[in-house]
Amino acid sequence: MIRLLLADDEAMIRAGVRAILAADPSLDVVAEADDGRAAVDLAISHHPDVALLDIRMPVLDGLAAAAEIRRAAPGTAVVMLTTFGEDDYIARAIDVGASGFLLKSGDPRELIAGIHAVAEGGAYLSPRVAQRVITQLAAGRVSRGAAARDRVAALTEREREVLALLGSGLSNAEIAKRLHIVEGTVKAYVSAILTRLDVRNRVQAAIIAHEAGLVA
């Protein structure tokens, strides 16, 4: 079972999301919050696998709550679920350590797919959000490419290989299968890569992989 924390200040939205999640028997909503501070407290007490957070919430907004959850409950992955797709929100969500960014107006199947991807150690951006990120990367690739290549140069050949596959969107299990190694070894490589690159999560590492030219 994938244990979930659902945080949104609108009860009807929470009910709708909960109904979508109920279609997948492997998903279990273990706690709900109607503000960001309550979401942080529940993440600490319940240790869910994934926290689904709205961005605009009272007391503490979703982005601030995401940052606190990543610090206080590092075993909980964070997915931002919002009606807003502005570039600033996307960038800030990645900066605070969110592993996923989904729009409430998206296909319900994206929500379930995103949760599974993040719970398995991967990252997930809704297609519309991914397009914006790709556009931003393309616009700034020339100026950021050299810096990214310098950072990647510190990795071993195998770590660069893992980073390239991570940047292509593969999960740990998929990377293990591609490289013919066990998943635990992939997790160790990913952890080392995040430390060497000084980034918080796979999304930030994937961006560096694209900027460094490791991913076509």
Side-chain angles (χ1 to χ4, degrees), residues 53-77:
L53 306 179
D54 184 27
I55 286 184
R56 293 189 176 181
M57 292 190 290
V59 185
L60 191 68
D61 69 41
L63 294 170
E68 289 200 25
I69 288 173
R70 294 300 298 143
R71 286 194 299 267
T76 298

Side-chain angles (χ1 to χ4, degrees), residues 5-215:
L5 162 64
L6 175 58
D8 195 298
D9 60 329
E10 296 186 41
M12 290 186 65
I13 295 295
R14 292 201 310 274
V17 172
R18 193 167 58 247
I20 293 172
L21 300 178
D24 187 332
S26 69
L27 304 180
D28 180 23
V29 178
V30 297
E32 294 187 29
D34 58 7
D35 67 69
R37 174 53 57 198
V40 174
D41 294 340
L42 288 170
I44 294 172
S45 61
H46 285 75
H47 301 288
D49 300 305
V50 178
L52 289 173
L53 306 179
D54 184 27
I55 286 184
R56 293 189 176 181
M57 292 190 290
V59 185
L60 191 68
D61 69 41
L63 294 170
E68 289 200 25
I69 288 173
R70 294 300 298 143
R71 286 194 299 267
T76 298
V78 172
V79 173
M80 308 309 301
L81 182 61
T82 180
T83 55
F84 306 97
E86 289 88 346
D87 295 344
D88 179 55
Y89 285 126
I90 299 169
R92 289 170 61 195
I94 293 173
D95 286 341
V96 300
S99 297
F101 196 107
L102 295 165
L103 301 180
K104 292 177 182 177
S105 57
D107 190 316
R109 291 172 294 184
E110 290 179 16
L111 175 60
I112 293 177
I115 291 171
H116 278 280
V118 169
E120 293 168 6
Y124 193 93
L125 300 177
S126 73
R128 280 192 290 168
V129 172
Q131 184 58 53
R132 292 189 185 205
V133 172
I134 290 171
T135 300
Q136 290 177 349
L137 289 176
R141 176 169 288 178
V142 174
S143 61
R144 294 194 297 262
R149 286 191 292 274
D150 286 343
R151 296 172 75 175
V152 169
L155 304 179
T156 66
E157 182 177 351
R158 177 61 102 179
E159 287 171 343
R160 286 195 295 273
E161 191 173 9
V162 171
L163 177 60
L165 295 174
L166 183 158
S168 297
L170 273 64
S171 67
N172 288 348
E174 290 169 332
I175 294 173
K177 185 176 181 180
R178 182 75 62 87
L179 298 180
H180 306 291
I181 56 180
V182 299
E183 189 172 347
T185 301
V186 175
K187 290 181 180 179
Y189 275 126
V190 171
S191 178
I193 289 168
L194 298 185
T195 299
R196 286 174 179 266
L197 295 180
D198 191 26
V199 295
R200 295 182 180 180
N201 58 35
R202 297 169 71 101
V203 176
Q204 293 174 333
I207 289 174
I208 291 176
H210 279 267
E211 290 174 345
L214 296 182
V215 183

